[in-house]
Amino acid sequence: MSGTGQLAALTAREAGLVGCRRCTRVWPIERTECGRCGASLESRDPKSLSRVWAWWTVGVMFYFPANLYPMLSTRTLLSTSESTIVGGAIDLIHHGSIGIAVVILVASVLIPMAKFLCIAFLALSARRNTDMSAGSRQHLYELVEYVGRWSMIDVFVVAILSALVQLNVAASINPGPASLSFALSVIFTMLSAQAFDSRLIWDRIEDADKPATPSTGASSPRQEDAYS
Amino acid sequence: MNDQIPDVTIASSRRSLWDRASVVWLVPFAALAIALGVAWQTYNDRGPLIEIVFDNAAGVAKGETELRYRDVAIGLVETVKFTEALDQVIVGVRVDKDVAPYVDAESEFWVVRPEVTTQGVSGLDTVLSGVYLQGNWDDRIGEPQSTFEGLADAPLLVGGQQGLSIVLRSNDGSLSGNTPILYKGVEVGQVGTANVSSDGFSVEAVAVVYSPYDNLVTDQTRFWDTSGFSLSIGTSGAAVDFESLASLIAGGVTFDTFVSGASLARDDTTFTVYGDAGAARASIFDRSEGATVDIMAIFDGNVSGLVTGAAVELNGLRIGEVSGLNGVIEETPSGSNFVRLQTILSIQPSRLGLDGATNAEDALTFLQEQVDQGLRARLVSGSILTGGLKVQLASVANVPPASMNINARPFPIIPVADSEISDVSLTAQGALDRLNELPIEELLQSATDFLSNASVLVGSAETQQVPADISALLAEIRTVVGSPAIQSLPDQLGNVMTDLETTMSEVRVILTAVQEQEVVNRVASAVDAVTGLTSELETTIEGVPALLAEIEALAAKANGLPLEELLVELSALSANANGLIGADATQALPAQIGQVTAELEGALAEVQTLVADLNANAATTRLLDAVDAAAATAASLDASFAGVPDLVARISVVAEEAQGMDLATLTSEITALVASADSLVSSEATQALPSELNAALSELQTLLVSVNGNDTVVRLLAAVDAATVAAEGVTTSVEGVPQLIENLNAVAADAQGLELDALIDRVTSLVASADTLLADEGTQALPAELTASLAELRSLMAELSDGGAIENTNAALLSARNAADEIAAAAETLPALLNRANALLGQANTTLSGFEDTSPAIRDARAALQEVARAAEAVASLARAIERRPNSLLVGR
């Protein structure tokens, strides 16, 4: 491939190539189907962000009932107590179990919230300038993807407790409506994170390089206009 | 390399929204749609929010407490808040949409809590689940309402229960709330919470009688309280009565319809609760006179004694009663407050004497008119004893005009007049004072003394000793009777009888001889004489009943004498006699008698021989002579007895006289005498007498043995001859007897005329003197002397037995024959003697008749008697002096 000094930042797309995301075979960019594994080839997923936002929206939607409705319904002989996630954590703090409360708060509140924020940030930063370097954002994306599966730990706890504590009349623990919501929220968040095309992170670098030659404008709307 | 970059179609990032939109977006939209749908559905399904205001919402929690209808949850409490004044709780309840239309204005709500009462445990499920709200409404859709007033307690009719709702009222506190209504022990209803009525005079409670039992309640039904139990003791025994154990603990109300035919009661009818079944039953007849009219009177001052139930009288007729009493504060014109007694008078209009159907208005009008004419209520004394008061409606003169306050509340007020209360306490005080002054203490003291004296008398050792002594005496007699000697007596007597039999056979021979010599005629004449004698006796006996009557009267008189002391003395005497009989010597007497009997047997054998001899010696002829003489004697006696009836009559009269005498004193004297005799008997010497008697008897026995051994028959024959002669003489002598009897009659007649009372007095004093004499030591020594003389007699008999006693006896018999001859001779002179005696008696008669007239003689006799008494007293005092100082005999002082 011939290139200029700019070749240092030459991307496959600029080189007219596209890589299969399944078997990583590189094909000319014209091909729409991998000749080796049969997967469809796309230089960029045009609906990636759209799907990200769609899943993200559903995840956030389910996150509200997950926090408003009780997570656990604990029924003992004389009383039934239902507690939300935060309410239960606060109860634990009142009872002195700060460590457990911190774990719950981190796993059930902090991490999901952080994921929402991270995904939204990544999705937004795919189109906008940001102070964060592309490498950091890539790391952030990988972190979100990695942590996502651990978010189900709350749901697991509820499932295990519900299965174990079924002492008929004396005491029983049942999952509350929040547990389902929470599980759905986590699932949709993970889908949202998965829907994100991490290559978009790097597009901005090309875009940032390109204006340096044709124009000096720094305004992104104008840049986007140039694409259209 | 071709630098020509292939034309890459780069799609603009500004593609249409649809192009850029992912199908994934369907998911959030679907989720949103579902969420919105659920939300709308929820909103659409939920019912209205109603607000219930409770005074007490304890246990009601937001989001937990349910609203239930027929125990099915149909709503949930959503809000719990306070009213603005913070005095009530507003509970917001979300009611299910399908039930909400029925929750209309007539709905009732209350809080169900766990409750443990005497009726049982209710709301137990709320212990676990917490309290819940219970709603109650009918099955008709009414005007919707969003705010309700909650009930403090559950209503009586719940969940569509049908029943009769009535009001129970009690004036005397026999109504307690929340109790069952029982009918023949079955719970048929419930009494709600009891409240004091607005006028403060009664207790009221709403109650229900459940269907179908509401048919049992009519206008004439009476309710009464069955709480507690009643104990009655009557002729059929004691009975404890209570309706049921539950009502015993928790109380209860029962009812019955005593009168049939009344119409069924309607809702909200008011019934009175009576204290017991009797009162309820009685009320039927009381109330038949119609409803009462209540008026009010306000009395001044102290009215202690006026109680509920006191009579209200009009002109003395009871027209009602006081049904309530309480104080009322009145404000005077000057502004100060004071308390007056407000009395509720329940008046029965039918007793006011109004014509026709009387009702409350008529009665009030009538009273109003009467008040205008001066009728006033006033307090008068109802009972002197209890100080109770009653209310009198009376026309009082000179009272300031007044009128009834018809509009007063709660009842019209009738004006009052001054009370007329008599001061009962003062009168009672006076009566008590007088009672206090009675000498009750002295009376009681006297009675106590008398009783203690009587007790001492009865309990005295002497009185108690009498039966014991008699008993001992009997025991001793039994011992004597049971002694071998006495037991053997019959055998000996049997022998005697054998001898007698033999003798009788001999006598029969004699009688045969007598028969042959025509003695029958003579005997017949003798028998005639005896017959005449008998008829005389009969005549005599005719007078006897009168005599007996007299004696009986005398005995009655004697009956009244002070015999108790005599009894005591007799007791002592019997005790002593007891000792006497128990003495060894006395015990030995039967043996002696046995021996004597044996001797007698021998003697009879002799007599038998003698009779045989007599038989042989033609004694019959002599005996016939004797019989002749006896017949003559009997004839004479017959003649003599002719005068006897008169004598008996005389004696009867004398007895009458005696009856009138003062025997009591004599009796006491005799008592003393007996006492002296007692001491005499108890003296050692007297005790020694039996032994002496014993000895004498043994001597006699010896003598009889001696007699047995001698031929005394011939002498006896001679003696019989002499006896015959003597009998003849006697016969001759007896001829003078009738005259003698006549004289005796005369003497008795004279004696009848004597002042015997005085004589009795004298005799009494004489007996007293004798008593003193007997009590004297000298007299006491007499038994010893007697004993000594008996000892002498015994020695004499021993001498008789030993030395020439037989000869002496023969001589004695000879002398006896001589004596008999002498008697015969004397008998010949007896007529002369009788003549003299007659003369003497005539003299005595004269003297006695002189006694009647010539008081000096009586005086002399009295003086003589007084002298004798004085002498006896002197002897007694001498004896006492000697007793006190025996040495005075020696020293002469």
Side-chain angles (χ1 to χ4, degrees):
Chain A
M1 306 273 214
S2 65
T4 58
Q6 298 168 334
L7 278 178
L10 180 69
T11 64
R13 189 174 164 189
E14 285 169 346
L17 297 172
V18 62
C20 177
R21 298 190 80 181
R22 182 183 289 172
C23 63
T24 66
R25 172 82 161 81
V26 177
W27 296 93
I29 203 163
E30 296 83 11
R31 281 190 74 102
T32 59
E33 192 170 329
C34 179
R36 187 165 67 179
C37 68
S40 63
L41 295 175
E42 258 184 328
S43 176
R44 295 290 183 272
D45 184 356
K47 296 185 177 178
S48 168
L49 286 178
S50 173
R51 282 188 284 118
V52 166
W53 284 118
W55 291 128
W56 185 88
T57 305
V58 185
V60 170
M61 276 173 61
F62 277 103
Y63 191 68
F64 286 102
N67 276 286
L68 293 177
Y69 283 107
M71 190 75 175
L72 277 177
S73 167
T74 307
R75 189 169 59 81
T76 60
L77 191 62
L78 296 179
S79 66
T80 300
S81 72
E82 294 178 333
S83 56
T84 60
I85 295 168
V86 178
I90 292 171
D91 279 350
L92 284 172
I93 291 172
H94 285 315
H95 288 106
S97 306
I98 297 173
I100 297 173
V102 168
V103 169
I104 287 174
L105 283 177
V106 168
S108 303
V109 179
L110 194 63
I111 290 176
M113 294 286 277
K115 276 167 68 182
F116 289 132
L117 290 177
C118 289
I119 291 169
F121 170 71
L122 288 173
L124 285 176
S125 63
R127 291 290 174 83
R128 283 169 175 78
N129 290 322
T130 177
D131 295 336
M132 206 176 205
S133 68
S136 297
R137 281 186 283 150
Q138 181 65 31
H139 282 303
L140 184 64
Y141 172 69
E142 287 171 358
L143 185 68
V144 166
E145 275 240 284
Y146 176 78
V147 164
R149 69 202 69 171
W150 291 103
S151 296
M152 290 300 260
I153 192 167
D154 254 14
V155 180
F156 291 152
V157 167
V158 168
I160 290 168
L161 279 180
S162 299
L164 286 180
V165 185
Q166 287 294 345
L167 304 179
N168 205 4
V169 179
S172 67
I173 293 177
N174 291 313
S179 57
L180 181 63
S181 303
F182 191 81
L184 288 172
S185 175
V186 170
I187 289 167
F188 289 136
T189 311
M190 287 169 70
L191 286 173
S192 174
Q194 236 173 18
F196 184 70
D197 191 349
S198 58
R199 289 172 297 189
L200 290 172
I201 295 171
W202 304 102
D203 286 345
R204 294 302 297 175
I205 296 174
E206 296 172 50
D207 294 343
D209 290 342
K210 277 181 183 171
T213 43
S215 69
T216 58
S219 155
S220 20
R222 215 183 295 156
Q223 290 301 316
E224 284 177 3
D225 289 342
Y227 280 104
S228 57
Chain B
M1 277 303 274
N2 190 358
D3 282 343
Q4 184 64 43
I5 297 170
D7 186 21
V8 177
T9 49
I10 296 174
S12 165
S13 60
R14 302 289 298 174
R15 285 170 297 178
S16 72
L17 190 62
W18 183 251
D19 289 340
R20 285 188 289 153
S22 165
V23 72
V24 176
W25 273 102
L26 288 175
V27 177
F29 283 122
L32 189 63
I34 290 170
L36 288 175
V38 169
W40 183 84
Q41 177 85 25
T42 307
Y43 178 81
N44 195 36
D45 281 353
R46 75 173 190 172
L49 185 73
I50 59 169
E51 290 188 335
I52 310 165
V53 181
F54 287 107
D55 288 337
N56 173 16
V60 175
K62 174 166 58 179
E64 285 183 7
T65 306
E66 296 170 335
L67 171 64
R68 298 189 188 182
Y69 175 69
R70 289 177 181 259
D71 279 341
V72 174
I74 51 130
L76 196 66
V77 172
E78 287 195 350
T79 61
V80 177
K81 59 189 179 189
F82 291 104
T83 56
E84 287 179 2
L86 297 181
D87 55 351
Q88 285 181 311
V89 180
I90 302 172
V91 178
V93 181
R94 182 69 64 183
V95 185
D96 284 359
K97 197 179 179 184
D98 47 355
V99 178
Y102 298 96
V103 182
D104 50 21
E106 292 174 357
S107 301
E108 298 167 317
F109 299 92
W110 65 96
V111 182
V112 178
R113 301 185 180 88
E115 221 170 355
V116 180
T117 65
T118 51
Q119 301 294 306
V121 180
S122 67
L124 195 61
D125 48 345
T126 61
V127 171
L128 295 178
S129 67
V131 303
Y132 58 85
L133 305 179
Q134 184 86 321
N136 188 39
W137 46 81
D138 51 29
D139 54 357
R140 288 181 297 277
I141 296 174
E143 191 72 18
Q145 189 174 341
S146 64
T147 304
F148 300 90
E149 199 74 26
L151 303 177
D153 295 294
L156 294 170
L157 288 172
V158 173
Q161 269 183 314
Q162 298 297 314
L164 175 72
S165 180
I166 55 175
V167 178
L168 296 180
R169 175 183 292 181
S170 169
N171 293 329
D172 54 1
S174 57
L175 178 65
S176 51
N178 300 319
T179 54
I181 296 176
L182 305 171
Y183 183 76
K184 299 191 188 301
V186 177
E187 184 171 339
V188 298
Q190 184 77 24
V191 180
T193 306
N195 298 305
V196 177
S197 63
S198 55
D199 59 4
F201 289 118
S202 60
V203 175
E204 287 181 349
V206 176
V208 292
V209 178
Y210 302 131
S211 179
Y213 304 111
D214 53 352
N215 289 329
L216 300 170
V217 183
T218 70
D219 287 337
Q220 289 299 316
T221 297
R222 292 289 180 272
F223 287 79
W224 67 91
D225 181 35
T226 61
S227 59
F229 61 89
S230 67
L231 174 68
S232 61
I233 300 174
T235 52
S236 57
V240 178
D241 194 16
F242 54 86
E243 197 74 12
S244 72
L245 199 59
S247 67
L248 177 65
I249 297 167
V253 172
T254 189
F255 64 90
D256 204 347
T257 305
F258 301 111
V259 179
S260 60
S263 58
L264 289 181
R266 289 185 298 276
D267 274 349
D268 299 327
T269 310
T270 299
F271 292 94
T272 300
V273 178
Y274 296 92
D276 52 48
R281 197 180 296 270
S283 70
I284 289 270
F285 307 102
D286 289 350
R287 292 306 171 95
S288 64
E289 298 185 59
T292 59
V293 174
D294 287 338
I295 60 173
M296 199 158 66
I298 298 177
F299 294 106
D300 293 323
N302 182 10
V303 291
S304 63
L306 185 64
V307 295
T308 303
V312 176
E313 293 181 350
L314 175 64
N315 300 331
L317 174 71
R318 184 183 173 121
I319 59 167
E321 63 175 24
V322 175
S323 62
L325 286 171
N326 61 354
V328 64
I329 296 174
E330 279 206 348
E331 194 170 334
T332 59
S334 61
S336 61
N337 292 335
F338 67 101
V339 180
R340 305 175 77 187
L341 188 83
Q342 176 178 299
T343 310
I344 309 298
L345 312 175
S346 292
I347 292 173
Q348 291 185 318
S350 58
R351 293 197 185 175
L352 286 175
L354 299 176
D355 291 334
T358 55
N359 55 32
E361 285 74 23
D362 292 342
L364 282 177
T365 310
F366 171 75
L367 285 174
Q368 225 170 335
E369 291 170 0
Q370 293 295 315
V371 166
D372 291 340
Q373 295 170 14
L375 185 77
R376 298 287 183 272
R378 64 179 177 187
L379 294 173
V380 294
S381 295
S383 167
I384 298 292
L385 288 178
T386 62
L389 299 179
K390 59 185 178 184
V391 177
Q392 193 179 44
L393 301 183
S395 294
V396 182
N398 304 323
V399 287
S403 61
M404 268 185 91
N405 186 356
I406 292 292
N407 299 319
R409 288 286 172 266
F411 304 116
I413 296 177
I414 186 169
V416 300
D418 290 340
S419 303
E420 280 192 355
I421 303 171
S422 59
D423 200 346
V424 176
S425 59
L426 202 63
T427 313
Q429 183 63 43
L432 283 175
D433 285 346
R434 253 171 271 156
L435 203 64
N436 260 344
E437 286 162 8
L438 291 178
I440 290 173
E441 273 85 5
E442 288 82 347
L443 188 65
L444 282 176
Q445 187 58 45
S446 299
T448 307
D449 292 347
F450 170 70
L451 284 174
S452 58
N453 284 338
S455 173
V456 168
L457 183 63
V458 169
S460 68
E462 286 83 0
T463 313
Q464 306 220 346
Q465 192 60 32
V466 172
D469 287 340
I470 290 172
S471 176
L473 180 60
L474 284 172
E476 290 296 337
I477 288 171
R478 196 160 54 227
T479 314
V480 172
V481 168
S483 66
I486 295 281
Q487 296 289 337
S488 64
L489 266 180
D491 292 344
Q492 295 181 359
L493 282 174
N495 293 337
V496 172
M497 287 309 291
T498 314
D499 289 341
L500 265 178
E501 202 175 339
T502 319
T503 308
M504 284 311 288
S505 61
E506 295 291 339
V507 167
R508 203 176 297 129
V509 177
I510 296 172
L511 283 174
T512 313
V514 166
Q515 204 171 11
E516 286 169 355
Q517 294 177 17
E518 296 183 359
V519 294
V520 176
N521 292 334
R522 296 185 214 169
V523 169
S525 66
V527 165
D528 286 346
V530 168
T531 306
L533 180 65
T534 309
S535 61
E536 288 296 329
L537 272 174
E538 198 175 327
T539 318
T540 308
I541 284 165
E542 280 172 3
V544 168
L547 184 65
L548 279 174
E550 295 295 332
I551 288 169
E552 189 176 330
L554 196 61
K557 182 148 198 262
N559 203 17
L561 295 175
L563 293 175
E564 280 80 5
E565 295 172 24
L566 195 62
L567 191 68
V568 174
E569 294 299 333
L570 276 175
S571 171
L573 188 62
S574 67
N576 286 328
N578 185 15
L580 199 59
I581 287 173
D584 288 343
T586 315
Q587 299 283 344
L589 267 178
Q592 294 287 348
I593 290 169
Q595 290 175 7
V596 170
T597 309
E599 293 299 328
L600 196 61
E601 193 183 339
L604 276 170
E606 292 293 329
V607 168
Q608 189 183 349
T609 320
L610 183 64
V611 168
D613 287 346
L614 280 174
N615 209 6
N617 290 333
T620 312
T621 315
R622 296 184 208 167
L623 196 64
L624 282 175
D625 294 344
V627 167
D628 286 345
T633 308
S636 298
L637 274 174
D638 187 7
S640 309
F641 273 115
V644 167
D646 291 343
L647 186 64
V648 167
R650 296 279 173 198
I651 290 171
S652 177
V653 176
V654 173
E656 272 179 17
E657 294 285 335
Q659 192 179 346
M661 290 170 190
D662 178 19
L663 290 177
T665 322
L666 191 62
T667 305
S668 61
E669 292 298 335
I670 288 171
T671 301
L673 192 62
V674 167
S676 298
D678 175 28
S679 58
L680 201 60
V681 166
S682 62
S683 69
E684 283 184 4
T686 315
Q687 298 287 342
L689 270 177
S691 55
E692 291 297 332
L693 205 59
N694 248 344
L697 275 170
S698 59
E699 290 297 332
L700 185 64
Q701 184 191 357
T702 318
L703 203 59
L704 277 170
V705 169
S706 301
V707 167
N708 274 343
N710 288 283
D711 180 28
T712 56
V713 177
V714 181
R715 297 175 198 281
L716 199 63
L717 276 175
V720 167
D721 289 345
T724 306
V725 177
E728 282 170 354
V730 165
T731 306
T732 318
S733 312
V734 164
E735 283 169 356
V737 167
Q739 199 181 350
L740 185 65
I741 284 173
E742 280 173 12
N743 283 336
L744 274 173
N745 247 343
V747 171
D750 286 340
Q752 185 184 350
L754 288 179
E755 290 179 9
L756 286 177
D757 288 0
L759 195 63
I760 287 291
D761 287 347
R762 291 293 153 196
V763 169
T764 301
S765 58
L766 187 62
V767 166
S769 299
D771 177 28
T772 321
L773 198 61
L774 273 175
D776 196 82
E777 277 185 358
T779 317
Q780 299 286 342
L782 199 60
E785 295 297 332
L786 203 59
T787 306
S789 65
L790 273 171
E792 290 296 327
L793 189 64
R794 189 182 56 183
S795 60
L796 191 64
M797 281 192 159
E799 272 183 34
L800 275 174
S801 178
D802 291 344
I806 306 301
E807 288 78 8
N808 287 345
T809 309
N810 286 339
L813 279 171
L814 197 64
S815 300
R817 193 184 57 188
N818 293 339
D821 291 343
E822 288 294 326
I823 287 170
E828 284 170 1
T829 61
L830 199 56
L833 187 64
L834 277 174
N835 288 338
R836 286 195 204 156
N838 268 342
L840 182 63
L841 281 168
Q843 190 71 35
N845 194 7
T846 316
T847 312
L848 278 171
S849 52
F851 271 4
E852 283 180 349
D853 306 325
T854 58
S855 48
I858 294 279
R859 268 206 308 278
D860 287 346
R862 280 180 188 168
L865 282 168
Q866 277 169 357
E867 286 298 326
V868 169
R870 209 169 293 135
E873 280 169 9
V875 170
S877 67
L878 181 64
R880 272 201 300 277
I882 292 169
E883 187 180 4
R884 213 174 293 131
R885 285 185 301 164
N887 60 343
S888 62
L889 281 174
L890 298 174
V891 300
R893 284 183 296 182

